[in-house]
Amino acid sequence: MTLLTWWFRLTGIAYIALGISWIPVLNALRLDAVVPGFDAPEGGTAYAGFLDWMLVFGLEMIVVGVVLIAASWRPWRSAPLVVLIVALSLVRGIAHDIYMIVNGYSLVANLVFVAFHTAVIVVGVIAYRSARRDAWAQGVDSARPAIDVRSQVA
C-alpha cells in the first residue's frame, strides 16, 4: 500500500501547488501567458471576474489536494478517490488540454499538462491495483474500500 500512500501525497502536493498558482495575486502576473491576447482592461469588470473565477478554481484544487493528503493516512479506505482523480484528469485535464490546443493556446504548455495528467492516471491505476492485491492477499475484509471500485479500474 506504500505506492498508493505516496500517490495520494504527491498528487495532493501537486494539486495544492497548482491551486496556489491560480490565486489572483500570482495569476494576474501571468495572465498574458495563460490567455494570450486577453483584451479586458486591467481593473475592469471582465478582468476582475476572470481573476475571481480563477481564484475559485485554485481553491478547488487546494481543497482536493488537502483531501488527497488526508486520504494518504488510510489509503485503501480512500481508494474511491483514485477513481475521482482519474476521471477529473481525463475530463478536466486531458480533454480540456486538447480543447485548449485546438483553440490555439500554447501547444507546449498544454502538452506538459497532458503528460502530468497521464502520469497521475497511470500511476494512480497502478497504485490502486497494487494496494488492492496487497489488501486481498492479507484476507482482511475490512481492507475493502468504503465503495468497491473494482469494476471501474480493473
Side-chain angles (χ1 to χ4, degrees):
M1 228 163 300
T2 303
L3 181 59
L4 185 59
T5 299
W6 282 104
W7 180 85
F8 276 128
R9 291 176 184 167
L10 293 175
T11 304
I13 290 167
Y15 266 71
I16 291 169
L18 287 170
I20 289 170
S21 76
W22 288 95
I23 291 175
V25 172
L26 301 174
N27 208 26
L29 302 173
R30 65 184 183 111
L31 193 55
D32 286 336
V34 174
V35 183
F38 187 65
D39 58 357
E42 193 168 327
T45 304
Y47 183 87
F50 192 65
L51 287 177
D52 289 345
W53 169 83
M54 289 188 207
L55 170 65
V56 172
F57 179 69
L59 292 174
E60 176 188 316
M61 302 262 311
I62 291 169
V63 168
V64 169
V66 169
V67 168
L68 291 175
I69 291 170
S72 74
W73 296 104
R74 296 188 72 192
W76 184 241
R77 299 290 294 169
S78 304
L81 289 174
V82 176
V83 176
L84 173 66
I85 298 303
V86 165
L88 288 174
S89 290
L90 283 169
V91 176
R92 196 179 67 187
I94 294 173
H96 180 256
D97 293 332
I98 292 169
Y99 173 85
M100 297 296 277
I101 291 168
V102 168
N103 284 292
Y105 291 88
S106 171
L107 176 65
V108 174
N110 283 291
L111 286 179
V112 167
F113 279 104
V114 167
F116 167 75
H117 291 294
T118 302
V120 165
I121 291 166
V122 169
V123 177
V125 169
I126 291 169
Y128 173 84
R129 287 181 173 178
S130 174
R132 182 180 66 184
R133 266 192 315 275
D134 293 348
W136 291 354
Q138 294 173 10
V140 181
D141 192 46
S142 64
R144 292 184 183 275
I147 299 169
D148 193 357
V149 293
R150 286 177 286 167
S151 62
Q152 287 98 351
V153 189

